[in-house]
Amino acid sequence: MTAATREDTPVAIEGGGVELRMTEVGGDMTAAFVRFPKGTDMTEAVKGLPGDMCQCPHWGYLFSGRLKMRTASGDEIYEAGQAFYWPAGHVPEALEDCEYLDFSPTKEFNEVIDHVKAHMG
């Protein structure tokens, strides 16, 4: 069995107030601790992926803030205190400072993160 805290999880992406920490937790799943400041829009970061959207599903919990998730079928708003499932095909935008924890299939998540890192310059 594996457990992780935000403080003990390595930083994978950092800059402009964005912080993403991620670690494999077993079962081919990765835990990610994410902080997005208000106004963070991941549109450019995921451009070039199929549909110009994140293609990895995520299950998690939004600790604080409000997040808009753009999808091909319309926008959805998530608020602090909600557990969520985001299927493949989404782009997040922080409407307020956000902090959340999500669990994602490791292979698919690494593909998206590698793409995001390559487009960050």
Side-chain angles (χ1 to χ4, degrees):
M1 289 194 259
T2 303
T5 65
R6 189 186 71 75
E7 293 76 20
D8 295 334
T9 300
V11 174
I13 296 176
E14 188 172 39
V18 171
E19 180 185 82
L20 179 126
R21 295 171 176 255
M22 56 191 280
T23 189
E24 268 194 83
V25 291
D28 297 322
M29 297 293 281
T30 290
F33 296 87
V34 182
R35 288 183 175 164
F36 284 152
K38 180 180 179 178
T40 299
D41 183 342
M42 297 301 289
T43 299
E44 290 302 314
V46 297
K47 192 166 282 195
L49 291 171
D52 292 330
M53 295 181 168
C54 177
Q55 294 301 311
C56 179
H58 309 278
W59 295 260
Y61 182 81
L62 188 61
F63 294 107
S64 63
R66 290 178 64 236
L67 193 67
K68 176 168 66 174
M69 197 59 69
R70 289 193 308 276
T71 72
S73 60
D75 297 346
E76 296 184 29
I77 305 295
Y78 296 87
E79 298 185 349
Q82 290 182 317
F84 59 79
Y85 167 63
W86 300 329
H90 59 269
V91 180
E93 178 184 347
L95 301 176
E96 298 174 0
D97 291 350
C98 293
E99 187 168 355
Y100 63 89
L101 167 66
D102 72 35
F103 298 90
S104 310
T106 298
K107 179 183 178 294
E108 291 91 335
F109 196 45
N110 283 335
E111 290 170 358
V112 171
I113 296 305
D114 289 346
H115 178 88
V116 169
K117 285 180 176 179
H119 288 84
M120 289 179 67

